[in-house]
Amino acid sequence: MHLLVLNGPNLNLLGTREPAIYGHETLADVEAACMATAAKLGVSITFAQSNHEGALVDALHEARGKSAGVVLNAGAYTHTSVALRDAIGATSLPVIELHLSNTHARESFRHVSLIAPVCVGVIQGFGTAGYPLALQALHGHLSR
Ligand code: CA2
């Protein structure tokens, strides 16, 4: 089983700024944790990040036929992108929406997710620990 872990805008800065919200771990640390979780689950993963909405749409399209499902931290595009929502719908792949922070405990514009209705479920508020949790949840969903 192959899974895609896809990260959106500014997540390349993880661990370098705003540690009170996003913690001290870098995206490379998160990738290493995802690789370790994937090995335990007996799956392979592709780990990717882009700051560009269209590139994220492309990555979702390209996941069709390659990946059984997707863990997606769409970053700020979560709250704005009809294109990402349509891409998730178009792939018909199960997608777990993931956030480091609890978006409901933050500014009101972060309370709305345009992608949540087309995702299997949402994991948020657990910092970088959410990535392994999301992979486990996705693997469990696909194994049922
Ligand atoms: O909590 C999350 O994972 C978010 O998806 C992160 C996004 C934010 O727009 C969403 O509302 C919630 C922002 C990612 C920015 O990441 C940074 C990391 C380090 C320093 C600055 C930004």
Side-chain angles (χ1 to χ4, degrees), residues 8-19 21-23 73-79 98-103 106-107 109-110 124-125 131:
N10 296 307
L11 286 160
N12 54 309
L13 299 177
L14 205 60
T16 66
R17 289 158 188 248
E18 302 196 60
I21 301 175
Y22 299 118
N73 185 345
Y77 290 139
T78 303
H79 318 297
L98 172 69
H99 299 288
L100 296 156
S101 61
N102 176 359
T103 58
R106 300 182 65 191
E107 304 95 326
F109 64 84
R110 295 186 205 275
Q124 61 174 24
Y131 282 79

Side-chain angles (χ1 to χ4, degrees), residues 5-114:
V5 181
L6 187 58
N7 295 281
N10 296 307
L11 286 160
N12 54 309
L13 299 177
L14 205 60
T16 66
R17 289 158 188 248
E18 302 196 60
I21 301 175
Y22 299 118
H24 290 281
E25 284 191 280
T26 65
L27 200 61
D29 295 330
V30 173
E31 180 173 6
C34 286
M35 290 296 175
T37 300
K40 280 183 200 154
L41 294 171
V43 304
S44 58
I45 61 167
T46 296
F47 191 93
Q49 186 272 334
S50 177
N51 292 322
H52 305 281
E53 187 176 17
L56 294 167
V57 170
D58 287 342
L60 288 167
H61 291 178
E62 285 160 19
R64 278 182 306 179
K66 286 187 194 165
S67 301
V70 182
V71 171
L72 175 62
N73 185 345
Y77 290 139
T78 303
H79 318 297
T80 63
S81 179
V82 177
L84 270 185
R85 177 193 172 120
D86 287 348
I88 294 167
T91 63
S92 299
L93 288 171
V95 176
I96 307 280
E97 177 181 347
L98 172 69
H99 299 288
L100 296 156
S101 61
N102 176 359
T103 58
H104 295 288
R106 300 182 65 191
E107 304 95 326
S108 59
F109 64 84
R110 295 186 205 275
H111 298 179
V112 173
S113 168
L114 296 191

